[in-house]
Amino acid sequence: MFQHELYMNRCLQLAALAAGNVAPNPMVGAVLVHEGRIIGEGYHKVYGQAHAEVNCIASVSKEDEYLISKSTMYVSLEPCAHYGKTAPCADLIIRHKIPTVVIGCRDPFTKVDGKGIDKLKAAGIEVIVNVLEKECKSLNRRFLTFYTIHRPYIILKWAQSNNGIIGDAGNHRLHISNAYTNRLVHKWRSEEAAILVGTNTARLDDPSLTTRLWPGKNSVRLVVDMELSLPHHLHLFDNAVTTIVFNSIQNTIESFENLNSDKNKTWYYQVTTGVNIVHQIIHALYHLHIQSVLVEGGAKLLQSFIDEGMWDEARVITNKNLMIAEGIKAPAPAAFHLTKTETLFSDQVVYYSNNQHLLL
């Protein structure tokens, strides 16, 4: 069992290299082992391109190709058994006559969900499942949340002074976090499908909500503007990145296909006044196939998600050297379970999980 966990850990290391690049697909790593020696390894690098198993087998040297049919394949997620953008990976494994496959966790996607395992077993392949299952599920918690709970994975983020102030009382933009933490936030943005802010944050801070400080893709920008009162000179409306405006007046977007047909455009999604906005946004994001969202503020919007219990992680940045006499108070946490703390010079970054929504 120790050997299985050793090679599955390598699968997880490989899979994580694709963070932010494969959604809405899961991150997957694969390793091919013959008598204690890794002869091939790979991971799903880019959405729409070759899966981990394909890249793993392709990496085997000419000299070692004869060993493929005598080796064990380790893969962090159940191999697919259907035709999508690529051919089924289960068929590939069967074709190469790999005798044993060790799987980290089952794939809940309806077109897979045990079918890959069944196909392998039907071909006479020994299948071992649930090796480092918890770690494998954690890696793909966005994907798993989307297909098991049927909503996006929700991360809350805010920066506060050492006395818990999130914004300036005079409605001025307030710089709280330092340059190092700002880069970390841009890395976080690159890993999520969308970023959400409220009306006041958009108006007062005029954020770009891009990953300009990190080499990663830009996420879809989301803003709540019920009365369509935000001026169009704001960065959110520069058409540099796809933006969706949740409002009570007009609707220009109908489907996921609609959203992807015209990149870097501002779309309008109509919601109903007087009906819980958090649940309407979550429903819309699921309908639009957006698997994860980073909620960046402001305080009222963040508190709304907390009050509804609609969050999975919270990441709170505290500038330990900054005290603000008066201002907007940070959200009041509820059901927060501390998972990690790190320090970046003046800033302390604390990570929380929502105990009520733990998948693992």
Side-chain angles (χ1 to χ4, degrees):
M1 193 64 181
F2 170 76
Q3 290 297 314
H4 289 338
E5 292 182 353
L6 176 68
Y7 296 122
M8 191 58 69
N9 262 316
R10 179 56 182 160
C11 290
L12 291 170
Q13 289 175 343
L14 292 165
L17 296 174
N21 293 322
V22 296
N25 283 355
M27 293 176 280
V28 184
V31 173
L32 197 59
V33 180
H34 179 264
E35 295 183 355
R37 180 169 69 91
I38 294 177
I39 64 170
E41 59 181 31
Y43 63 99
H44 183 31
K45 296 180 179 180
V46 179
Y47 174 69
Q49 295 185 13
H51 287 187
E53 299 92 328
V54 176
N55 289 329
C56 177
I57 291 173
S59 74
V60 177
S61 68
K62 285 286 185 183
E63 295 77 13
D64 285 338
E65 283 183 352
Y66 77 99
L67 296 175
I68 293 175
S69 62
K70 304 174 184 179
S71 300
T72 298
M73 167 78 78
Y74 291 83
V75 59
S76 56
L77 187 70
E78 177 184 2
C80 61
H82 68 290
Y83 281 88
K85 290 185 177 293
T86 63
C89 292
D91 289 358
L92 176 72
I93 293 169
I94 293 168
R95 190 165 65 250
H96 282 85
K97 300 179 180 179
I98 296 172
T100 304
V101 177
V102 181
I103 297 169
C105 66
R106 186 164 165 157
D107 187 338
F109 182 48
T110 53
K111 291 184 177 180
V112 185
D113 197 14
K115 297 179 181 69
I117 293 171
D118 290 344
K119 182 177 277 193
L120 295 175
K121 287 182 176 179
I125 294 171
E126 180 188 12
V127 179
I128 300 169
V129 298
N130 298 336
V131 173
L132 295 186
E133 180 186 18
K134 182 177 180 179
E135 292 81 355
C136 291
K137 284 184 174 181
S138 179
L139 178 72
N140 280 309
R141 53 197 181 276
R142 297 159 182 81
F143 179 81
L144 291 169
T145 297
F146 191 81
Y147 285 107
T148 58
I149 303 180
H150 307 297
R151 65 161 175 80
Y153 190 82
I154 301 164
I155 302 172
L156 310 180
K157 168 261 167 182
W158 69 84
Q160 61 186 19
S161 65
N162 200 35
N163 59 331
I165 300 297
I166 197 173
D168 182 78
N171 288 334
H172 301 112
R173 182 171 186 179
L174 187 62
H175 295 280
I176 294 177
S177 52
N178 63 43
Y180 298 94
T181 310
N182 287 342
R183 281 160 177 75
L184 177 61
V185 170
H186 282 229
K187 177 179 181 291
W188 293 344
R189 289 177 178 176
S190 74
E191 295 170 348
E192 308 310 328
I195 308 166
L196 172 66
V197 294
T199 310
N200 289 335
T201 298
R203 179 180 287 113
L204 299 175
D205 291 354
D206 190 16
S208 297
L209 300 184
T210 62
T211 58
R212 61 195 180 278
L213 300 179
W214 188 263
K217 68 170 183 63
N218 289 313
S219 305
V220 174
R221 301 183 295 199
L222 312 172
V223 60
V224 179
D225 183 16
M226 294 297 285
E227 304 303 322
L228 295 182
S229 62
L230 291 173
H232 277 228
H233 63 72
L234 296 177
H235 287 122
L236 285 174
F237 303 113
D238 60 12
N239 290 328
V241 181
T242 300
T243 301
I244 300 174
V245 183
F246 292 102
N247 72 97
S248 63
I249 298 171
Q250 65 171 309
N251 195 79
T252 63
I253 186 168
E254 299 291 341
S255 66
F256 168 70
E257 291 74 20
N258 203 190
L259 179 64
N260 283 272
S261 66
D262 196 345
K263 301 285 186 179
N264 301 350
K265 177 180 178 178
T266 299
W267 297 92
Y268 294 86
Y269 194 103
Q270 189 170 9
V271 294
T272 304
T273 303
V275 178
N276 188 287
I277 187 66
V278 169
H279 290 281
Q280 290 190 80
I281 290 173
I282 290 170
H283 174 78
L285 297 184
Y286 181 74
H287 177 63
L288 295 171
H289 293 197
I290 292 175
Q291 286 188 3
S292 65
V293 58
L294 180 66
V295 184
E296 290 207 22
K300 182 179 178 180
L301 185 63
L302 287 162
Q303 192 64 56
S304 296
F305 275 85
I306 294 171
D307 291 345
E308 292 300 317
M310 286 290 106
W311 63 279
D312 299 288
E313 291 183 41
R315 300 169 183 176
V316 182
I317 301 165
T318 302
N319 186 331
K320 306 300 286 186
N321 295 337
L322 179 64
M323 299 288 286
I324 301 173
E326 295 183 359
I328 302 167
K329 291 184 178 180
F336 278 34
H337 173 70
L338 177 65
T339 58
K340 186 174 73 170
T341 300
E342 61 184 355
T343 301
L344 292 172
F345 296 93
S346 60
D347 292 345
Q348 181 185 68
V349 186
V350 182
Y351 299 78
Y352 300 96
S353 64
N354 185 348
N355 276 340
Q356 298 175 17
H357 286 168
L358 288 177
L359 287 172
L360 310 175

